[in-house]
Amino acid sequence: MDIRFSGASVSFGERTVLQPLTLTLTERRIGIIGLNGSGKTTFARLINGLVKPTTGSVSVNGLDTVRDEGAVLAAAGFIFQNPQHQIIMPIVHEDIAFGLKNRGLKTDEIERRVAAVLVRFGIAHLAKRRVHELSGGETQLVAISSIVVTGPGILILDEPTNQLDLRNRRLIENTIAGLDEHAIVISHDLPLIERFERVLWFHDGKLVGDGPAPETIRAYREAAEC
């Protein structure tokens, strides 16, 4: 993974939500923390082109997020805070297959990929289940599967343990830990990311902390107590 921000900023009208930022991301596990409205989600969405930079540029493995938008979307998948917002089809198997069908893959290849990802995430028994019958953890796994099945090397997860009970939180934590893909995780759940290689801390649209997880999280907690 090689993600590069070069003077990238984001403004909506006269309001700047992310100050100009220059940095490179290469680590396998990166956490993003900060208060609501701090700019962390905007930063993460710049990575796969869901948000375009107002100034500067962002590249993913040499691909410009504006010029090479389609290729960047294929390289970096985004799992939203509420996974139900990205689950489209009523049946689990159908939803995981949806993105592959849109890419024009043959039926045999689609079935092979869907079967493989269902087994990989331990949800083969849910293949024919209606999505509205799933638990919170199962819904999150289906959302992750529907992105992973298309083959991105980078996954961006926005608050993946939000509103999950302890059992389902541990399920998602273990799933993230076991991912082969690079993972960038936005989270208020600090224990989830405390073993990550790197954590970025945003405040008022600025990157105010960047380093190993223990150090950055400790500084964030100390600031919150002030």
Side-chain angles (χ1 to χ4, degrees):
M1 180 176 79
D2 185 359
I3 299 171
R4 296 175 184 263
F5 286 72
S6 300
S9 71
V10 177
S11 298
F12 298 122
E14 296 182 356
R15 184 169 67 95
T16 299
V17 296
L18 190 68
Q19 297 290 336
L21 187 62
T22 297
L23 81 165
T24 300
L25 307 177
T26 59
E27 293 79 7
R28 289 190 58 79
R29 295 290 182 268
I30 298 172
I32 303 175
I33 60 176
L35 301 176
N36 291 337
S38 62
K40 59 186 185 297
T41 298
T42 299
F43 170 81
R45 291 187 175 193
L46 279 168
I47 294 171
N48 77 331
L50 291 176
V51 171
K52 302 295 191 295
T54 304
T55 65
S57 64
V58 181
S59 67
V60 177
N61 297 336
L63 301 168
D64 183 271
T65 59
V66 176
R67 186 177 60 250
D68 307 307
E69 180 178 8
V72 169
L73 286 170
F78 199 102
I79 295 92
F80 292 94
Q81 181 171 342
N82 188 339
Q84 292 178 339
H85 290 169
Q86 69 186 83
I87 292 179
I88 298 171
M89 305 302 289
I91 305 298
V92 168
H93 183 285
E94 294 175 354
D95 189 77
I96 295 174
F98 182 80
L100 299 176
K101 289 180 179 179
N102 280 348
R103 297 186 182 199
L105 273 67
K106 294 182 179 180
T107 301
D108 288 350
E109 178 64 11
I110 291 173
E111 289 300 316
R112 185 190 69 77
R113 290 199 189 188
V114 172
V117 82
L118 285 168
V119 170
R120 175 181 173 186
F121 290 107
I123 55 172
H125 62 292
L126 301 177
K128 296 182 180 180
R129 187 81 61 85
R130 293 188 176 277
V131 295
H132 71 266
E133 299 173 342
L134 303 177
S135 70
E138 290 169 343
T139 302
Q140 188 67 266
L141 287 179
V142 171
I144 292 172
S145 297
S146 69
I147 299 299
V148 168
V149 75
T150 63
I154 303 166
L155 297 179
I156 306 164
L157 300 98
D158 190 356
E159 298 288 355
T161 58
N162 185 44
Q163 297 185 348
L164 295 184
D165 58 29
L166 182 59
R167 177 180 177 277
N168 281 305
R169 182 204 168 280
R170 287 175 176 168
L171 173 65
I172 299 306
E173 180 180 23
N174 291 336
T175 297
I176 293 171
L179 288 171
D180 296 327
E181 294 81 3
H182 291 260
I184 299 171
V185 180
I186 309 165
S187 187
H188 290 293
D189 182 356
L190 301 181
L192 175 67
I193 61 173
E194 63 186 5
R195 296 183 182 178
F196 282 16
E197 297 163 76
R198 183 176 179 183
V199 169
L200 309 179
W201 166 21
F202 287 88
H203 184 73
D204 286 343
K206 298 178 182 179
L207 180 64
V208 296
D210 179 3
E215 297 174 10
T216 308
I217 291 173
R218 182 171 59 251
Y220 177 64
R221 282 178 168 147
E222 289 173 354
E225 293 174 356
C226 294

